[in-house]
Amino acid sequence: MTISVVDLFSIGIGPSSSHTVGPMRAALAFIDHLQGVQPATIRVELRGSLAATGRGHGTDRAVILGLAGYDPVTVPADASPAPGEPVAVVGTTTGPAGSYPYEIDFNPVALELHPNGMIFTALDAAGQPLCAPQDYYSVGGGFILTGTELRAQLDSEGGLGSGAATQATEAPVPYPFGTAEELLTRCQEQGKSVAQIMAANEEALHGDLDVVNDHLDRVWRTMRQCVTAGISTRGVLPGGLSVVRRAPEVYEHLLQEQEKNAAGFGAMEWSNLYALAVNEENAAGGRVVTAPTNGAAGIIPAVMHYARDFLDDFTASKAREFLLSAGAIGAIIKENASISGAEVGCQGEVGSASAMAAAGLCAVLGGTPQQVTCAAEIGLEHNLGLTCDPVGGLVQIPCIERNAIGAVKSINAARLARLGNGTHRVSLDEVVHTMAETGRDMLTKYKETAAGGLAVTLGLPVSFTEC
């Protein structure tokens, strides 16, 4: 199967791709599934991780907005219920799809197929189902699968990593690859870069490369807009942790140090700022690019801003080359392991984003395909075992700072790879396999349930806004 860069880099709202964007898409899909049937009530049961940290991640709000007919790309950021507002678990939707009475239940017991499960049921006035309940699964990066689709993938491909190919297509492409080894073979056979291989495949998938380029340009533009919003918006992030936005103050500080030509301030500080700005916007429910998830949405934009600010001639063409190269790595990780924190912990989110950003930067630095995959390997390898333990079930602590650290790590990985010839004792495929194995072995309490790690150490409740 082929995962398109258009799907891998999607535009949505925060704070979570798997807990916000995916559930909104699932709710909207269920409304389409009803085909005009007007139920007396729509019952939504959130299961597993979606229930355990759903309130902190805005899952309840996302479901209501999806039932109201909103999609993650165009939904107004302040659509009611607004980010941070109490969310009623029983009520009536208002939006483009009309009015639907709803009720939302939280059940932390996971469904068999995936930790991020949802069951939608349309009920008549007597409380009886109008049709068979529909189960959906949010498998990372905003991708969703029905139970039928996920079950078929698990049966045919066997376990973790197979569910990653959501929204993938069986359409033929000129240079198919599923692993880094296959990608390098295609590059060597054709004498093409990683970005050129991806561009050719994308053109085959979409019929027109201009469509792909337009999307990539919009992605880069949205990333820049997100950074601008993040460094210009002050206040306290919603959710109850009283986390104060730091990006505006950091930005002013860096400008002052820049004017003074202060020694020791440079690329690292600015990269930190850009990542903080994006992830504070994400935590506030703002518009971000899922890259490849919302929880890790700051890493690739931060590294692209680093390239813009500290490299020569970072043009729109270079930005596309960056995103295509990063997308190739993201597709390999998604197909063979996972980008879902609920499946494999934060190594699947921040680790994947670090690998992708390192690959993209290495490519625009002039790296060979071997160096590009080596950069990705370094970026992922040094995030192995990273747990997902959001304090209070919110995408704030340690998520925001973790993106800043991941961005700097990506820059270092790309530069380290460029110092070598692209050969490495450990291959990217071996690290991807190891990440999948580590995710299988990781205790559930460290996989986006807020039941272990920092989430427990700080002793704070998971929910702050239940009503």
Side-chain angles (χ1 to χ4, degrees):
M1 287 194 239
T2 302
I3 301 171
S4 172
V5 71
V6 172
D7 295 323
L8 200 58
F9 293 114
S10 61
I11 298 171
I13 60 170
S16 172
S17 50
S18 61
H19 284 56
T20 309
V21 176
M24 189 184 301
R25 287 176 173 161
L28 185 60
F30 183 70
I31 292 298
D32 292 339
H33 173 74
L34 290 178
Q35 296 181 338
V37 174
Q38 183 65 42
T41 303
I42 296 177
R43 184 173 63 216
V44 184
E45 187 176 359
L46 302 176
R47 299 293 295 268
S49 178
L50 294 183
T53 60
R55 292 186 178 93
H57 284 65
T59 307
D60 41 6
R61 174 180 184 253
V63 165
I64 293 169
L65 292 176
L67 293 177
Y70 291 109
D71 70 84
V73 177
T74 61
V75 59
D78 59 351
S80 182
E85 286 184 356
V87 178
V89 295
V90 177
T92 302
T93 65
T94 302
S99 298
Y100 288 98
Y102 69 85
E103 59 183 50
I104 301 175
D105 297 323
F106 295 81
N107 184 344
V109 178
L111 295 173
E112 181 180 359
L113 295 180
H114 195 278
N116 290 337
M118 299 157 275
I119 302 174
F120 290 79
T121 308
L123 304 174
D124 63 18
Q128 298 301 308
L130 289 169
C131 50
Q134 179 68 61
D135 57 332
Y136 294 91
Y137 299 86
S138 182
V139 296
F143 292 80
I144 61 170
L145 285 172
T146 65
T148 300
E149 291 167 339
L150 180 53
R151 198 171 287 105
Q153 287 195 358
L154 293 174
D155 288 345
S156 65
E157 299 177 26
L160 181 63
S162 57
T166 324
Q167 297 183 10
T169 175
E170 299 286 358
V173 293
Y175 310 121
F177 64 89
T179 66
E181 182 179 1
E182 292 172 352
L183 173 61
L184 290 175
T185 298
R186 301 289 178 264
C187 291
Q188 184 175 11
E189 289 174 346
Q190 302 301 320
K192 294 180 181 292
S193 68
V194 171
Q196 289 170 334
I197 291 291
M198 280 294 287
N201 287 348
E202 293 293 326
E203 184 173 21
L205 289 174
H206 299 281
D208 187 349
L209 191 57
D210 287 341
V211 172
V212 179
N213 287 335
D214 287 346
H215 177 78
L216 295 178
D217 291 345
R218 184 181 181 190
V219 163
W220 177 219
R221 183 169 60 251
T222 302
M223 289 176 174
R224 300 196 305 274
Q225 292 169 343
C226 187
V227 166
T228 299
I231 63 179
S232 59
T233 307
R234 297 180 181 274
V236 177
L237 295 174
L241 284 180
S242 300
V243 174
V244 178
R245 286 177 179 253
R246 286 180 290 173
E249 183 177 348
V250 173
Y251 178 57
E252 291 179 358
H253 178 66
L254 291 181
L255 289 178
Q256 292 169 3
E257 296 298 326
Q258 191 176 59
E259 289 178 2
K260 294 187 298 186
N261 294 316
F265 282 84
M268 180 179 294
E269 284 73 23
W270 284 99
S271 300
N272 282 329
L273 167 67
Y274 296 137
L276 293 176
V278 171
N279 281 85
E280 287 175 355
E281 272 297 290
N282 178 64
R287 186 90 54 203
V288 299
V289 175
T290 300
T293 66
N294 284 27
I299 294 173
I300 290 175
V303 178
M304 292 185 73
H305 277 75
Y306 161 85
R308 181 198 68 181
D309 294 349
F310 295 96
L311 302 181
D312 294 332
D313 196 31
F314 189 71
T315 60
S317 177
K318 286 290 187 181
R320 295 170 192 161
E321 181 182 6
F322 188 114
L323 291 169
L324 287 167
S325 302
I329 302 305
I332 290 168
I333 295 172
K334 190 164 176 55
E335 184 168 338
N336 294 284
S338 175
I339 61 171
S340 168
E343 274 193 302
V344 296
C346 200
Q347 59 172 354
E349 299 203 28
V350 164
S352 296
S354 292
M356 293 166 67
L361 179 58
C362 187
V364 300
L365 286 171
T368 65
Q370 291 79 9
Q371 289 172 323
V372 168
T373 59
C374 181
E377 181 274 321
I378 295 171
L380 183 59
E381 179 182 31
H382 297 288
N383 282 288
L384 287 176
L386 191 61
T387 59
C388 184
D389 51 353
V391 175
L394 299 164
V395 192
Q396 297 179 20
I397 303 173
C399 318
I400 296 171
E401 285 183 352
R402 190 169 282 175
N403 274 255
I405 300 300
V408 174
K409 189 178 292 186
S410 300
I411 295 169
N412 197 29
R415 292 195 168 277
L416 189 57
R418 288 281 287 132
L419 293 175
N421 60 8
T423 60
H424 214 229
R425 181 61 183 81
V426 180
S427 71
L428 176 58
D429 289 329
E430 288 169 330
V431 176
V432 171
H433 174 76
T434 302
M435 190 257 272
E437 288 291 317
T438 303
R440 290 189 184 97
D441 294 339
M442 189 179 291
L443 296 176
T444 300
K445 68 180 183 178
Y446 297 120
K447 294 194 283 190
E448 209 167 1
T449 59
L454 285 175
V456 172
T457 302
L458 269 67
L460 295 171
V462 172
S463 173
F464 295 89
T465 59
E466 180 181 3
C467 61

